[in-house]
Amino acid sequence: MINFDRLKYASHITPERHTGTTIDADLCIYGATSAGIAAAVQASRMGLYVVIAEFRGHLGGLTTGGLGATDIGNKAAIGGISKEFYKALGLHYGTTENEGTHWLFEPGTAKRILTDWLEQFGISVYYGRQLESVDKEKGRIVRLVMTTGDIFRARMFIDATYEGDLLAMAGVSYHVGREDNSVYKETLNGVHYGHPNHNFKAWVDPYVIPGKPDSGLLPGVADVPPLVQGVGDASIQAYNFRICLTDDPANRLPFPQPPGYDPGDHALLARYLEAGVWDALKLHKVMSPTRKTDLNNFGAVSTDMIGANYDWAEGDVATRERIFQAHFTYNLGMLYFLANDERVPLAIRNEVGQWGLPADEYPETGHWSPQLYIREARRMISDVVMTEHHCRHYATVEDSVGLAAYTMDSHNCRRLAIGGRCINEGNVEVPAAAPYPISYRSIVPKGEQCVNLLVPVCLSASHIAFGSIRMEPVFMILGQSAATAAALALEASCAVQDVDYGKLRDRLLADGQVL
């Protein structure tokens, strides 16, 4: 019997120090994501004393949270510490091609590399530190107060969370949801219909009793107005878990029934299978010779829990815990349903039954990743907002701190009933013209709001541009660049907005960044 008692969003880690402790540092990073770790390593190399405060007990964010098939875009655009990480993976797996980099990996291997880096540089991570308040003086953050009573004081701060919790509490402007196309004169923002991928390939009735609207909608279908193309709204692209699976009989644990499982939650998937479409587990890549996969969403009804995450960005701990558990139950429940439910054709049950949870991954949390895929939450609004124009090379910034190269990508944001059938809305997959530079001004707040904070993850970008930037290798790149800027700002005793870009550029290039 697999025990999921420790699989929580809220940290189950006991704080390492007694409450009420004051921790002083040159740089305090909030969030032990891959971006936060890259920032900490760079800051240490530049002689700063750096600490990481992490609300949860998980290290490495999505990079150690199941993302074994890295979304890249263009490998030549990846440099610096980010590339060092993939070279370390190559060394582990014995890779000799592409400068020794390796892009398919196991969660446990990724975690060991990041943990080794922290130990090598003596970087302390304080787990279980939830931000309660931010004290500022004359536009500068002077201390973070945690719910444990601990106080983190520093001269510079980096928000490396996926949610932007520090930037929000520091009074920095941000946006949640999809902007109207008219806001930045874009074409791919807001409500978006028509992309054939991840939409229904067959007519599927959305009602509990087919053809009877008064019988109610099936679970997963929202009773919302359709809205027109390009209109902004508050919905967020869907979350899921990037699920590490294996078909190795010696390492495979059969999918267990999750707590709170209700087969009725998967009635829409059953109806889609009845319509003749089977593609929910199509998007997974096998990592030989370990026989593990990174399962992602594919098709109209898969691991994305469309419409269930709208309250995450601004949610308190209880709200996020509820959403986290709902996604866990839905994702594992879908796998259990496909492997066991008699409504599923036998051939599909047998196919799914060849897979299971790896016994050698995530033993502390029932062999399931503790990291929900937070594809998007808050996005800062600063003096430069990265938009579709930058992705298409219609506009170019001159203060690059790294390159992005991935497709302008949004997963579906809503699933609704239109004309008696199910429709998914929000999917966008439009390639960027070529790798494009990300502005330094997009990772620092407006000067009047905060002068000693950098934001490499929830940076200033529109919904659709963020969809291109939001990849783990890029977050690591931006984390390194943010730490470099923090060190230069401390050296010059200036605000982060006033860092000499020429000096910043020279140091980034010297440290292997691709600009």
Side-chain angles (χ1 to χ4, degrees), residues 106-127:
E106 300 158 275
T109 303
K111 185 175 181 179
R112 281 193 296 273
I113 291 170
L114 297 182
T115 300
D116 288 346
W117 283 0
L118 294 174
E119 292 177 353
Q120 177 186 348
F121 291 99
I123 299 166
S124 296
V125 181
Y126 295 83
Y127 295 103

Side-chain angles (χ1 to χ4, degrees), residues 34-325:
S34 63
I37 295 170
V41 169
Q42 178 67 11
S44 296
R45 287 175 174 173
M46 295 184 71
L48 299 187
Y49 178 62
V50 55
V51 296
I52 300 175
E54 163 60 33
F55 166 50
R56 307 182 60 219
H58 177 63
L59 179 75
L62 194 64
T63 291
T64 61
L67 185 72
T70 309
D71 296 313
I72 304 162
N74 188 320
K75 296 172 184 176
I78 299 172
I81 290 172
S82 185
K83 191 167 186 177
E84 288 179 39
F85 172 73
Y86 295 102
K87 282 189 172 183
L89 288 166
L91 184 63
H92 172 82
Y93 290 107
T95 300
T96 57
E97 298 180 0
N98 191 28
E99 298 182 286
T101 52
H102 198 88
W103 309 97
L104 297 174
F105 55 91
E106 300 158 275
T109 303
K111 185 175 181 179
R112 281 193 296 273
I113 291 170
L114 297 182
T115 300
D116 288 346
W117 283 0
L118 294 174
E119 292 177 353
Q120 177 186 348
F121 291 99
I123 299 166
S124 296
V125 181
Y126 295 83
Y127 295 103
R129 294 336 195 265
Q130 178 193 350
L131 191 60
E132 182 174 83
S133 63
V134 175
D135 292 342
K136 293 171 65 180
E137 295 177 2
K138 298 180 180 179
R140 300 184 67 85
I141 300 172
V142 293
R143 67 177 195 165
L144 311 182
V145 181
M146 306 298 174
T147 55
T148 58
D150 295 328
I151 294 170
F152 288 77
R153 300 188 302 196
R155 295 184 291 162
M156 284 285 163
F157 293 85
I158 289 177
D159 184 342
T161 65
Y162 292 122
E163 293 87 359
D165 287 340
L166 174 52
L167 75 88
M169 204 167 286
V172 172
S173 300
Y174 63 88
H175 186 82
V176 177
R178 299 181 287 184
E179 297 94 346
D180 193 288
N181 266 329
S182 64
V183 174
Y184 300 116
K185 303 298 185 288
E186 297 175 298
T187 66
L188 299 175
N189 214 328
V191 169
H192 197 88
Y193 298 99
H195 200 292
N197 288 351
H198 311 305
N199 224 315
F200 288 86
K201 305 297 185 185
W203 184 291
V204 174
D205 192 297
Y207 303 112
V208 174
I209 300 175
K212 300 286 186 180
D214 58 357
S215 67
L217 294 165
L218 290 174
V221 184
D223 182 14
V224 293
L227 301 178
V228 299
Q229 187 91 348
V231 169
D233 70 352
S235 64
I236 299 172
Q237 60 176 308
Y239 297 170
N240 69 341
F241 285 90
R242 295 292 287 256
I243 309 170
C244 186
L245 303 179
T246 185
D247 64 353
D248 179 359
N251 194 34
R252 181 186 67 215
L253 299 172
F255 299 122
Q257 179 175 305
Y261 172 74
D262 180 354
D265 291 340
H266 306 282
L268 182 62
L269 177 55
R271 194 168 288 181
Y272 198 34
L273 293 174
E274 290 172 6
V277 183
W278 163 233
D279 61 4
L281 265 62
K282 183 175 180 179
L283 191 59
H284 60 173
K285 298 179 181 179
V286 178
M287 295 171 265
S288 297
T290 62
R291 302 304 306 169
K292 294 176 185 174
T293 75
D294 166 1
L295 175 65
N296 196 7
N297 179 83
F298 190 92
V301 188
S302 184
T303 57
D304 277 0
M305 195 176 185
I306 300 172
N309 62 344
Y310 299 162
D311 294 333
W312 182 276
E314 305 273 30
D316 59 15
V317 175
T319 299
R320 290 181 181 173
E321 187 68 68
R322 172 180 56 78
I323 295 171
F324 179 96
Q325 294 300 333

